[in-house]
Amino acid sequence: MKAIGIDIGTTTISAVVYDAERKEVIESRTVQNGCAVRTAHPWERLQDAKAVVSRAAVLLDALCDRFSDINSIGLTGQMHGIVYINANGECISPLYTWQDARGGEREAGGCSACEQIYEKTGRTVPSGYGLVTHYFNWKNGLMPKECAGLCTIADYLGMYLTGRKMPLIHVSNAAGLGLFDCRKGAFQRDGIERLGMDAGLLPQVCRCLPVLGEYKGIPVTAALGDNQASFLGSVGARENTFLFNVGTGGQISVLSKQYFAIPGIETRPLTGEQYLLVGASLCGGRAYAALERFFRQYLSAAGFAKHPSMGLWPDWRKREKRPGAG
């Protein structure tokens, strides 16, 4: 019994092959995401969704070719971002990532999308969450004309692999879009309709992890939220155990068998009737990326150039020799 797990991260795309009999990872591979899209606004954070899925599929194919006895394919990925799909199940937009900040931009009248959502629904939803992004796009005429639905990038990968036309998403991903009732396991349709949005564009939600279809004869299950997937992979179902995770962002998570509403803590669906209590920060590995950019800029200003194969490399020929220099 072997399974492949794929994780579409903001910075990298990773895959592992897990041997259920030996209870160990027997192969792991990671490639750079590298699909960021240049934008006209500093608050936009977009990626080429089709290119992201294509890279994930290439990684999957390589592992399927190497191991002929794969029994299942599991999916996870960045939770809060969204893509739009048409009635044929095709992606018709970029990936609006969880780092996208349009929800905090002041519009005419001085209110941001996040503030408008709070005023009309009483719910606080952070910028970068899918339905905040969607609300901004809907109000500003930025939705694709053929839009028939929306989902996360991991959910779209599941559609791409199995040929599904409409998404079926796990509660862990659905909750990450915002305006979601974790206890009921359903979107807050009344609040969404008060905002004037079409609730018919919301994806179907499931509490279990059903099989979406098959890829090359291998069952593909619905995608799990990346925070939940990392917890189950590292901690399992153990109670009284904290998981510290440092990705592009950072989280501390602990298992709970009941729902809690705690200021400053997110209660996220896990599986069945279990939840994760999560303290999340925007600053995880992202801080290291900022530090890396600083050193690149410093070295560039000091006369170093970027070599295509070696990273930063001194370009002495273009530097002027100072009087008296050795």
Side-chain angles (χ1 to χ4, degrees), residues 220-237:
V220 179
T221 56
L224 191 67
D226 60 357
N227 179 208
Q228 288 86 343
S230 67
F231 189 90
L232 290 174
S234 302
V235 178

Side-chain angles (χ1 to χ4, degrees), residues 146-225:
E146 299 177 0
C147 176
L150 57 85
C151 61
T152 74
I153 188 65
D155 295 311
Y156 176 63
L157 175 59
M159 297 173 64
Y160 175 86
L161 295 176
T162 62
R164 288 183 64 95
K165 291 188 176 181
M166 294 305 293
L168 174 62
I169 79 173
H170 188 255
V171 287
S172 57
N173 270 332
L177 300 181
L179 296 174
F180 190 83
D181 190 322
C182 291
R183 280 173 285 193
K184 294 181 179 179
F187 286 105
Q188 296 183 312
R189 288 178 174 265
D190 56 340
I192 291 167
E193 290 171 352
R194 280 201 298 273
L195 291 167
M197 296 191 292
D198 180 6
L201 297 179
L202 297 173
Q204 182 182 352
V205 179
C206 58
R207 282 188 177 272
C208 58
L209 285 173
V211 173
L212 299 175
E214 293 186 349
Y215 180 70
K216 295 184 175 180
I218 306 170
V220 179
T221 56
L224 191 67

Side-chain angles (χ1 to χ4, degrees), residues 102-147:
R102 69 190 61 214
E105 287 297 300
R106 299 285 178 180
E107 300 185 56
C111 288
S112 67
C114 291
E115 291 168 336
Q116 293 171 49
I117 289 173
Y118 179 77
E119 289 175 359
K120 294 181 180 181
T121 69
R123 294 295 298 266
T124 299
V125 187
S127 183
Y129 276 48
L131 290 186
V132 173
T133 299
H134 174 55
Y135 180 64
F136 181 98
N137 289 346
W138 170 73
K139 284 199 66 183
N140 291 278
L142 299 177
M143 287 175 55
K145 292 181 180 179
E146 299 177 0
C147 176

